[in-house]
Amino acid sequence: MCDRPRYGYWELRPSFAAATEPSGLVQPGATPLLDAGRLLEGIHQRTQQVVLLHTHTPLTSERVCIATAGAKSVLFGQELGLTPKATEQLRQAPLDFDAPGLVMLANLAGHDSPLRGDLRQIRSAQVALTDSPLPGWILVSVPLRRLPGAPAMPGAEPRVVAAVSVLAPKQAHGAPLIAYGRMLHNAVRAAVETSVVIRRPRAATRQAA
């Protein structure tokens, strides 16, 4: 996790530092967990594409970007420079704007709640694919029911708290995107399962004492 550039001095390796990157994509003040940063970096290393982590704000029904990996790509930076508005929309937009928000929206409603056709399909597949705000790029998103490293209540049904997305050039359309969806599911499940932190209810704790 660390390098020692000289005696008596240590520093975090880039892949283990905070996943946020100075690209204007991340909501100011966002402080994602270190395990979430590792998840994004792992997906980026496997896909060589930009990876985004969005959460949602119930008060405004918006999705906001709280972390990225791979956003320092020269090609990606050039594309963002040509379309500044895309940066703002990738950072913050309504839940029904594109794949990250739609995949959360489809899973936030109760199982008995009526859903429109596209949201039913997204809930069934547990993956969403749309054009991105960046022209010529697409988003493939899957839901995340708990941030890796966050506490979990035993027996509780976790609600969707975020979406993990691959942002890829449109020429990748086709089989690679199907693989992206499958790989995202596997990576998210593995990251959550290997970083479970159980928080016991207070009553149970007192009883055990």
Side-chain angles (χ1 to χ4, degrees):
M1 291 178 61
C2 296
D3 286 319
R4 185 171 69 172
R6 60 179 182 274
Y7 182 77
Y9 181 83
W10 295 85
E11 61 184 21
L12 283 173
R13 292 180 176 174
S15 61
F16 287 97
T20 56
E21 299 178 357
S23 59
L25 290 175
V26 176
Q27 187 78 355
T31 54
L33 298 171
L34 181 61
D35 282 354
R38 291 172 178 163
L39 168 62
L40 300 192
E41 278 294 338
I43 295 171
H44 167 62
Q45 290 173 10
R46 292 177 65 180
T47 63
Q48 295 302 303
Q49 304 289 359
V50 178
V51 185
L52 308 174
L53 177 65
H54 288 88
T55 189
H56 64 91
T57 55
L59 292 178
T60 60
S61 295
E62 291 181 318
R63 57 112 178 106
V64 294
C65 183
I66 61 171
T68 69
K72 290 183 179 178
S73 157
V74 175
L75 172 62
F76 183 63
Q78 291 173 343
E79 295 284 347
L80 281 182
L82 295 173
T83 52
K85 188 176 181 181
T87 302
E88 300 174 10
Q89 292 173 330
L90 284 168
R91 182 176 64 245
Q92 184 172 359
L95 277 175
D96 60 358
F97 187 74
D98 55 14
L102 288 170
V103 82
M104 288 189 281
L105 193 59
N107 287 278
L108 285 170
H111 287 287
D112 297 329
S113 302
L115 289 175
R116 66 186 196 222
D118 60 334
L119 293 180
R120 282 201 306 271
Q121 291 178 354
I122 290 171
R123 176 185 280 182
S124 175
Q126 290 294 289
V127 62
L129 188 158
T130 66
D131 288 335
S132 85
L134 189 62
W137 294 62
I138 53 174
L139 283 159
V140 185
S141 306
V142 299
L144 184 60
R145 295 190 178 274
R146 184 173 62 81
L147 290 175
M153 291 291 290
E157 174 68 23
R159 295 193 67 188
V160 166
V161 296
V164 180
S165 308
V166 168
L167 178 61
K170 230 170 191 176
Q171 58 262 32
H173 209 290
L177 293 182
I178 298 174
Y180 286 159
R182 188 180 303 116
M183 184 274 298
L184 283 170
H185 276 298
N186 293 338
V188 164
R189 183 174 64 251
V192 171
E193 288 177 352
T194 57
S195 66
V196 170
V197 179
I198 300 296
R199 177 179 291 170
R200 301 173 67 185
R202 293 182 180 179
T205 304
R206 286 196 300 266
Q207 186 177 358

